Amino acid sequence: MILCSNPRAQYLSYKDEIDSSIQQVLSKGEFIFGGNVHSFEEEFCEYIGTKYAVSVGSGTDALCLALRSLKLGPGDEVIAPSHTATATIAAIATVGATPVLVDSDPIYHTIDPLAVSQAISSKTKAVIVVHIYGQPVDMDRIISIVRQKNLKLIEDCAQATGATYNNRRVGSMGDLGCFSFYPTKNLGALGDGGSIVTSNSILADQLRKLRQYGWDKNRVSQITGYNSRLDEIQAAVLRVKLKYLDRDNAKRVALAKTYERELNHLPLEAVSLRQKCSHVYHLYVLSVERRNDLVAHLKSNDIVAGIHYPVPTHLMPAYVQGSKPTLYLPNAERIAKKVVSLPIYPELAESDQYRVINALKDFF
Ligand SMILES: Cc1ncc(COP(=O)(O)O)c(C=O)c1O
């Protein structure tokens, strides 16, 4: 069976180092806020290019805490793309703010800057952009819009750890950058985890309080907070994997190039590559007309393809305003019907990748 992503293979490739770092945590016996969390935060913010990193329990929590650190809640509108992981939008709703869902660009599948401008109202406080599949959004245009309208900018980098835009890492360009360390992500833990990066000391301080009951250093809650901490074992594992992230991302890029070269004559559409960017291929996504038939064909060849995502958020019952959908976002809806994600992960063997390629050729 060829999986779409394969966290087990990733564990096995660094097994000795990971096992020994976990063993050290177990022997030391400090499981929450020992040295690894602190060291990981220092290493991670240096890697991204921000002054601070605050680690938390998941990527969704990273987004919730980022919104709370900006003091957003009921009555505030936050603009975000409908075509994203549900988590992006769930975070906005969780803090009590109103998600304003907008369309994506038809060829890059990232948030459409024009749609963002058109969705701004007097209640808009922030924009969340999502570097979907691992490719940066059009940051020049987004930054110019948020500056002009004095809005806060959160980058959802869950799928794009290590990607760059104009030689800057994603997560370092907005007010806050949010990351997920879910096991399949480019930098994946062995369980849940996440981080928020920023260069704003006030926001970093607020985030450190929010992740632990709103406590100040005397353990007095100055604000209401959460329990959302990255644990020592996950931090120790992430410290090992962070050292190899660029090398692993380069392997993903090489696999993507092979797919591009081998599949370009077939009747399918690859997502366009943005100029001045490095894409880190958390997902390798194609658009095809008979998507469901293709997924079934691959399955019959023991190949697991993914669909990211089959239903755009604005059509999910939880996020429909009123009794039936009134919002029409043509690109997001078209994308949801056509996308398919092919297997891609650093350890994917060449022979397995060619099995995927040949199965696609067979299908067409
Ligand atoms: C774009 C995006 N945002 C947020 C998240 C949430 O991350 P987590 O699963 O760690 O809560 C994910 C992961 O699924 C994601 O892909």
Side-chain angles (χ1 to χ4, degrees), residues 246-301:
D246 285 342
R247 190 175 80 184
D248 283 341
N249 280 342
K251 288 184 188 164
R252 289 175 183 269
V253 171
L255 290 161
K257 287 207 168 118
T258 303
Y259 276 139
E260 250 157 58
R261 189 181 64 238
E262 296 288 342
L263 303 176
N264 70 13
H265 62 286
L266 298 178
L268 42 78
E269 213 181 295
V271 176
S272 294
L273 289 179
R274 200 182 296 290
Q275 297 287 304
K276 307 186 291 187
C277 286
S278 71
H279 187 328
V280 291
Y281 293 100
H282 170 57
L283 300 171
Y284 186 83
V285 175
L286 297 169
S287 297
V288 293
E289 289 299 333
R290 291 164 47 225
R291 189 265 313 278
N292 294 345
D293 293 343
L294 174 61
V295 171
H297 171 79
L298 292 173
K299 194 169 172 208
S300 70
N301 282 277

Side-chain angles (χ1 to χ4, degrees), residues 14-287:
Y14 303 120
K15 183 176 186 309
D16 290 348
E17 259 191 275
I18 288 175
D19 287 356
S20 110
S21 69
I22 292 176
Q23 199 51 55
Q24 281 172 29
V25 175
L26 297 180
S27 305
K28 200 168 163 214
E30 282 182 66
F31 302 122
I32 299 281
F33 288 141
N36 281 294
V37 167
H38 182 69
S39 301
F40 172 67
E41 288 176 347
E42 290 201 329
E43 289 154 13
F44 191 61
C45 67
E46 190 186 332
Y47 175 82
I48 299 296
T50 56
K51 286 192 187 148
Y52 312 100
V54 178
S55 54
V56 292
S58 70
T60 310
D61 282 358
L63 289 160
C64 289
L65 269 63
L67 290 160
R68 282 280 314 272
S69 74
L70 295 170
K71 303 197 166 38
L72 300 185
D76 298 325
E77 291 182 353
V78 178
I79 297 173
S82 175
H83 176 58
T84 181
T86 317
T88 315
I89 312 309
I92 303 171
T94 298
V95 304
T98 305
V100 174
L101 302 179
V102 300
D103 215 350
S104 288
D105 182 286
I107 65 166
Y108 298 104
H109 298 196
T110 47
I111 194 166
D112 175 0
L114 183 61
V116 172
S117 318
Q118 289 167 346
I120 294 171
S121 78
S122 58
K123 293 183 184 161
T124 309
K125 297 286 161 46
V127 178
I128 301 184
V129 295
V130 183
H131 304 297
I132 196 127
Y133 315 149
Q135 170 153 256
V137 310
D138 184 346
M139 289 304 282
D140 283 347
R141 285 177 67 202
I142 292 289
I143 287 170
S144 119
I145 294 166
V146 295
R147 281 210 183 124
Q148 213 181 348
K149 299 285 179 182
N150 207 15
L151 304 175
K152 298 295 179 192
L153 178 60
I154 296 175
E155 294 177 70
D156 180 342
C157 309
Q159 300 189 0
T161 313
T164 62
Y165 180 90
N166 253 342
N167 297 316
R168 290 185 67 180
R169 296 242 192 241
V170 298
S172 67
M173 293 168 278
D175 295 284
L176 297 145
C178 297
F179 292 82
S180 163
F181 305 131
Y182 184 79
T184 60
K185 296 293 197 270
N186 292 38
L187 179 63
L190 302 181
D192 277 311
S195 182
I196 307 126
V197 297
T198 183
S199 290
N200 180 320
S201 62
I202 296 168
L203 293 179
D205 187 51
Q206 196 74 359
L207 290 164
R208 283 189 209 104
K209 289 192 174 100
L210 283 166
R211 74 175 163 184
Q212 193 158 236
Y213 325 121
W215 276 351
D216 63 15
K217 55 181 181 307
N218 299 318
R219 300 192 164 198
V220 176
S221 296
Q222 301 294 346
I223 49 174
T224 59
Y226 303 73
N227 168 4
S228 185
R229 299 174 291 224
L230 186 73
D231 65 63
E232 276 291 299
I233 289 182
Q234 302 306 340
V237 171
L238 290 165
R239 291 185 70 198
V240 172
K241 290 208 195 172
L242 181 58
K243 292 190 285 182
Y244 305 111
L245 179 60
D246 285 342
R247 190 175 80 184
D248 283 341
N249 280 342
K251 288 184 188 164
R252 289 175 183 269
V253 171
L255 290 161
K257 287 207 168 118
T258 303
Y259 276 139
E260 250 157 58
R261 189 181 64 238
E262 296 288 342
L263 303 176
N264 70 13
H265 62 286
L266 298 178
L268 42 78
E269 213 181 295
V271 176
S272 294
L273 289 179
R274 200 182 296 290
Q275 297 287 304
K276 307 186 291 187
C277 286
S278 71
H279 187 328
V280 291
Y281 293 100
H282 170 57
L283 300 171
Y284 186 83
V285 175
L286 297 169
S287 297

